[in-house]
């Protein structure tokens, strides 16, 4: 058992702050929350937090750990003038250059940096066409070594031919059938509708039925995705996915920048999630997701730009204000909170609140509020105050994985090997035309 003494509980939805609380954890669950709980005796542990803030776990709802070693990339990359060229010149060369070792260090660095930023779960969307079979197990190893929770999938696509498309389907099914229990769950991954033909959609639909998982796909990130659906299939994007029974309450659509009102109607009708990735959209210049407020379930993701959800929420909010939108920090706090609702569609147990019975995924902060911090202004403190630097300790599935800003393992050799793997990756990219 683990007893957290004297904490200020921070709940995101409905927003609430409660002082002087104790939280008792047994196994992977919170078993009691209250004032002046009886101390636990050794070897059980009591941590006196002297009024530190504690929130439920933070979720990054769309990420690509395979891109963790792309930071500051020095490779011969042709300039791109549009979104599809960015994919062709950079990302589709990078993912083809990934081997098992490069993927392992990408995953390890991704997981370490996520936890350090207070992110307790990452929903990853993976591609490595040169290493498909076993890739999700390699990622699983990286997540488990750091103690990070995740939902993994392999990105199925027709862009490298039918054989690789089918290998991607097999990797998703194999992982989904082995993933049950513990820190990792499985989704069924697909790149984007514009790189998926009719056979691929049928196989994805069968994979959903066979595993009970949900589809994780990029949707209308660029206007090209919607235009291709109209041009090649005479259907709206979501209509095409719906016609293959690919939409349900476990569906995770990333971006949705160019969804039509009819598309959004379908997302809401099937209770799907839309993940907004503000920094990635800005970086790729794909446009702004102005209609986001009309989507019932919006969560936030980074699309491969690290896993710092404080930074991501700030960018999402400031970009929205810059675009003249009607939403306020409390709305973006609710979007961040929605990541815990999305987790509940994949994992047993509840993640939304710090209360008896919830899964013990918790973030402890040493954020000092220079102005009053109450339920009504948590969003304001998040948009203008909190940062990843406020994160002190992280508990995932009842285990302390990061304490007083330290991991229980040595980071130096990992970062050294990651640098070596990054150099190998960049070199291999130059060898791939
Ligand atoms: Zn993405």
């Amino acid at each position: 058992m683990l007893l957290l003494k004297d904490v200020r509980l921070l709940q995101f939805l409905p927003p609430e702050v409660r002082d002087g609380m104790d939280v008792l954890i047994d196994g992977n669950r919170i078993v009691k929350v209250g004032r002046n709980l009886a101390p636990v005796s050794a070897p059980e542990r009591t941590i006196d937090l002297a009024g530190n803030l504690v929130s439920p776990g933070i979720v990054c709802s769309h990420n690509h750990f395979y891109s963790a070693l792309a930071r500051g990339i020095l490779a011969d990359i042709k300039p791109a003038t549009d979104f599809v060229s960015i994919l062709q010149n950079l990302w589709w060369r990078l993912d083809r250059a990934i081997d098992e070792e490069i993927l392992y260090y990408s995953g390890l660095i991704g997981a370490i940096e996520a936890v350090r930023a207070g992110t307790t779960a990452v929903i990853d969307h993976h591609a490595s066409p040169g290493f498909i079979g076993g890739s999700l197990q390699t990622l699983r190893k990286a997540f488990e070594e750091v103690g990070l929770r995740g939902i993994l999938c392999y990105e199925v696509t027709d862009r490298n031919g039918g054989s690789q498309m089918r290998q991607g389907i097999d990797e998703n099914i194999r992982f989904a059938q082995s993933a049950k229990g513990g820190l990792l769950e499985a989704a069924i991954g697909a790149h984007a509708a514009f790189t998926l033909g009719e056979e691929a959609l049928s196989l994805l639909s069968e994979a959903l039925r066979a595993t009970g998982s949900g589809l994780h796909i990029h949707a209308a990130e660029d206007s090209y995705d919607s235009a291709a659906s109209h041009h090649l299939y005479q259907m709206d994007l979501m209509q095409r996915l719906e016609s293959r029974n690919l939409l349900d309450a476990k569906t995770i659509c990333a971006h949705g920048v160019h969804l039509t009102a009819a598309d959004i109607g379908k997302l809401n009708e099937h209770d799907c999630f839309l993940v907004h990735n503000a920094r990635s959209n800005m970086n790729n210049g794909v446009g702004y997701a102005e209609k986001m407020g009309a989507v019932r379930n919006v969560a936030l993701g980074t699309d491969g730009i690290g896993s710092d959800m404080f930074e991501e929420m700030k960018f999402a909010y400031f970009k929205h204000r810059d675009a003249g939108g009607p939403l306020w920090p409390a709305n973006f706090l609710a979007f961040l909170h929605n990541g815990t609702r999305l987790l509940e569609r994949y994992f047993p147990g509840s993640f939304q609140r710090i209360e008896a019975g919830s899964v013990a995924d918790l973030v402890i902060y040493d954020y000092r509020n220079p102005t009053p911090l109450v339920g009504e202004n948590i969003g304001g403190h998040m948009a203008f105050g909190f940062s990843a630097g406020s994160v002190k300790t992280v508990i995932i599935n009842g285990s302390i994985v990061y304490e007083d800003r330290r991991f229980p393992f040595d980071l130096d050799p990992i970062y050294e090997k990651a640098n070596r793997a990054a150099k190998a990756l960049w070199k291999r990219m130059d060898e791939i035309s």
Side-chain angles (χ1 to χ4, degrees), residues 36-356:
N36 304 314
L37 296 187
V40 292
S41 47
E44 323 282 15
R45 200 169 158 205
T46 299
I47 306 178
D48 188 348
L49 287 163
N52 279 163
L53 285 156
V54 180
S55 80
I58 305 270
V59 183
C60 173
S61 297
H62 178 72
N63 204 335
H64 302 280
F65 274 0
Y66 72 77
S67 70
L69 300 183
R71 191 183 304 171
I73 193 162
L74 299 171
D76 186 17
I77 296 157
K78 277 191 249 121
T81 51
D82 61 83
F83 177 68
V84 176
S85 314
I86 295 171
L87 294 178
Q88 286 168 340
N89 297 356
L90 174 58
W91 300 113
W92 291 352
R93 274 174 65 212
L94 180 119
D95 67 14
R96 277 185 287 148
I98 290 170
D99 63 15
E100 184 171 356
E101 171 146 337
I102 290 168
L103 178 59
Y104 172 67
Y105 283 101
S106 301
L108 210 51
I109 293 296
I112 286 168
E113 299 207 333
V115 167
R116 195 153 51 189
T119 297
T120 54
V122 169
I123 301 181
D124 193 76
H125 191 266
H126 174 64
S128 51
F131 170 51
I132 299 174
S135 58
L136 297 180
Q137 287 297 346
T138 301
L139 271 179
R140 172 207 280 268
K141 192 165 167 249
F143 272 69
E144 287 181 342
E145 283 178 13
V146 178
L148 178 65
R149 184 182 299 284
I151 301 172
L152 308 185
C153 69
Y154 188 86
E155 172 199 291
V156 169
T157 177
D158 275 320
R159 72 185 146 91
N160 299 312
S163 159
Q164 285 208 1
M165 179 273 286
R166 284 183 287 276
Q167 286 177 50
I169 294 274
D170 292 346
E171 178 63 3
N172 277 303
I173 294 176
R174 198 167 34 234
F175 185 73
Q177 288 172 343
S178 73
K180 300 297 171 202
L183 286 172
L184 278 307
E185 269 294 338
I188 301 296
H191 170 242
F194 76 89
T195 71
L196 294 162
E198 294 301 273
E199 188 197 353
L201 290 194
S202 297
L203 292 175
L204 285 167
S205 183
E206 283 172 27
L208 291 182
R209 302 288 92 73
T211 60
S213 291
L215 184 71
H216 185 177
I217 188 169
H218 293 119
E221 177 173 4
D222 184 74
S223 56
Y224 182 78
D225 198 12
S226 306
S229 185
H230 289 142
H231 178 63
L232 298 171
Y233 304 100
Q234 292 76 50
M235 277 190 259
D236 274 354
L237 197 54
M238 286 298 142
Q239 188 188 7
R240 182 166 174 238
L241 298 181
E242 184 191 46
S243 73
R244 296 311 190 100
N245 296 318
L246 291 166
L247 302 182
D248 58 38
K250 283 187 162 183
T251 305
I252 306 165
C253 288
H255 302 287
V257 176
H258 298 277
L259 292 178
T260 62
D263 284 326
I264 290 174
K266 298 231 176 282
L267 275 182
N268 289 344
E269 192 183 317
H270 294 280
D271 202 20
C272 306
F273 267 81
L274 178 72
V275 183
H276 179 52
N277 305 270
R279 290 182 297 168
S280 166
N281 293 345
M282 291 162 79
N283 186 39
N284 288 332
V286 291
Y288 185 59
E290 281 156 11
K291 302 190 198 87
M292 189 168 47
V295 178
R296 186 198 296 173
N297 304 313
V298 178
L300 302 179
T302 61
D303 200 29
I305 308 179
S307 298
D308 180 344
M309 298 311 293
F310 299 96
E311 195 163 79
E312 193 64 44
M313 183 190 146
K314 288 178 188 187
F315 271 83
Y317 171 68
F318 292 125
K319 174 65 199 176
H320 184 79
R321 300 307 307 162
D322 183 54
L327 306 179
W328 294 102
N331 302 101
F332 287 86
L333 181 66
F335 294 160
L336 187 64
H337 166 88
N338 279 343
T340 57
R341 292 180 48 230
L342 178 49
L343 282 189
E344 290 175 4
R345 297 190 177 184
Y346 283 83
F347 287 93
S350 52
F351 291 83
Q352 296 184 49
R353 296 180 61 78
I354 301 173
E355 60 192 11

Side-chain angles (χ1 to χ4, degrees), residues 367-385:
Y367 174 74
R368 295 187 71 150
N369 49 293
T371 58
L373 169 63
V374 292
E376 294 90 313
N377 68 10
I378 295 174
H381 277 274
M382 293 285 272
F384 299 100

